[in-house]
Amino acid sequence: MESTYDLSALDYHTARALLEWQVELGATEALLDAPFNRYEAPKEAPKSKKSAAQPAQPLPVQPVPEVDTAAEAEAAAKRANSLDELEAALAAFEHCDLKRGARNLVFADGNPAARVMIIGEAPGRDEDREGKPFVGRAGQLLDRMLAAIDLDRAASMSEDAVYITNVLPWRPPQNRDPKPEEIAMLRPFLARHVALAAPDVIILMGNISCDAVLGRRGITRLRGNWQEAFGKPVLPMLHPAYLLRKPAAKREAWADLLSLKARLGTLS
């Protein structure tokens, strides 16, 4: 209990008597210098008015700038001055989601100095596993087709050799067809690949290759008709996988091979 009497105005004995009386009542501390009547004090001290807390404002979301993947690919491809540099640029290219699901980058196979450059569609399961184009059943058939006109991907002489690549260097999931945006994104690498390899003629194997290089599909109508792309003579042909499904079409493939052999003869 606290004492609120002002004892300083009383004589010593009176003050002492009052103090002892208060101690007997239980007053043990004197907290204030002046008396304070707590019965007249307000029941509750007024609370200071605080401004209502303002809700936290979220930070403005900065829009993520869209990346022009085709422009990024073109810039990366142009910086490559050799096939090795181009392969390294493709390996470092992070804008194609196909890369995340593929085992290997499938860049090319054969002799880079070859007169004939074959452009396939996209790697399959076997190609993805081995990191080379046309190594499955379709690739084995292609090798036999080329051997029929004295061409070989393993040949060291450019006159007898072929050089093989694909429109896409990574396998699409479940071997699905490449999407138009994937073809457009990676086409600058393909164009640079042709420029660096500098073949005499280009063979387009299948619909996807014709779409990527000529901007058209319909391989059964396009096949066998020489055209021009990348500044080179271009011959669309039926894909070996198509020939495995439809062996009767091998007659048209043989005619195209003879046309290729004749064209090489005129360019030699």
Side-chain angles (χ1 to χ4, degrees):
M1 180 183 293
E2 61 183 88
S3 172
T4 58
Y5 285 96
D6 183 8
L7 303 178
S8 61
L10 304 175
D11 63 87
Y12 170 78
H13 296 286
T14 303
R16 182 181 176 86
L18 285 174
L19 183 58
E20 291 174 352
W21 174 71
Q22 291 182 58
V23 171
E24 289 178 3
L25 291 178
T28 57
E29 296 183 24
L31 300 180
L32 302 175
D33 293 334
F36 179 74
N37 190 346
R38 295 188 180 277
Y39 292 102
E40 295 178 358
K43 293 183 178 180
E44 185 176 351
K47 294 182 179 179
S48 59
K49 294 183 179 180
K50 294 183 179 179
S51 58
Q54 297 296 323
Q57 297 296 322
L59 294 175
V61 177
Q62 297 296 329
V64 178
E66 292 187 5
V67 177
D68 187 340
T69 55
E72 291 282 329
E74 186 167 1
K78 282 183 177 179
R79 290 193 293 268
N81 295 313
S82 68
L83 292 173
D84 288 341
E85 290 182 6
L86 184 65
E87 184 175 6
L90 262 174
F93 190 70
E94 298 294 339
H95 298 297
C96 183
D97 290 337
L98 294 177
K99 179 180 180 179
R100 296 168 177 80
R103 293 183 180 179
N104 287 299
L105 167 70
V106 180
F107 183 68
D109 192 25
N111 188 341
R115 300 177 64 196
V116 179
M117 184 174 187
I118 297 175
I119 300 176
E121 300 182 339
R125 181 189 60 188
D126 296 325
E127 289 77 12
D128 182 40
R129 184 175 60 246
E130 297 190 28
K132 292 183 179 181
F134 284 96
V135 295
R137 291 181 61 220
Q140 295 166 8
L141 177 56
L142 175 62
D143 289 340
R144 295 196 297 270
M145 293 166 60
L146 295 172
I149 57 171
D150 302 318
L151 294 178
D152 188 345
R153 72 169 87 188
S156 57
M157 300 295 292
S158 61
E159 292 81 3
D160 305 323
V162 294
Y163 184 60
I164 307 174
T165 189
N166 282 317
V167 172
L168 301 186
W170 296 291
R171 179 193 181 192
Q174 288 78 48
N175 289 347
R176 65 161 172 77
D177 284 348
K179 298 178 181 179
E181 58 268 26
E182 293 167 344
I183 295 174
M185 182 193 314
L186 296 169
R187 191 179 188 278
F189 288 107
L190 179 63
R192 188 60 176 160
H193 204 155
V194 172
L196 291 171
D200 290 342
V201 298
I202 298 173
I203 303 300
L204 302 179
M205 288 289 184
N207 258 329
I208 303 301
S209 305
C210 291
D211 187 8
V213 176
L214 302 175
R216 285 180 288 168
R217 295 200 181 196
I219 187 61
T220 56
R221 297 188 306 272
L222 293 171
R223 57 140 295 271
N225 298 306
W226 284 93
Q227 302 187 48
E228 185 171 328
F230 300 133
K232 307 288 182 180
V234 171
L235 178 63
M237 288 184 61
L238 297 171
H239 197 284
Y242 179 88
L243 300 177
L244 290 172
R245 296 192 302 270
K246 298 187 176 181
K250 290 181 179 179
R251 178 179 299 179
E252 287 85 354
W254 176 241
D256 295 344
L257 288 170
L258 293 178
S259 178
L260 170 61
K261 184 173 183 179
R263 189 62 176 255
L264 290 172
T266 64
L267 295 173
S268 58

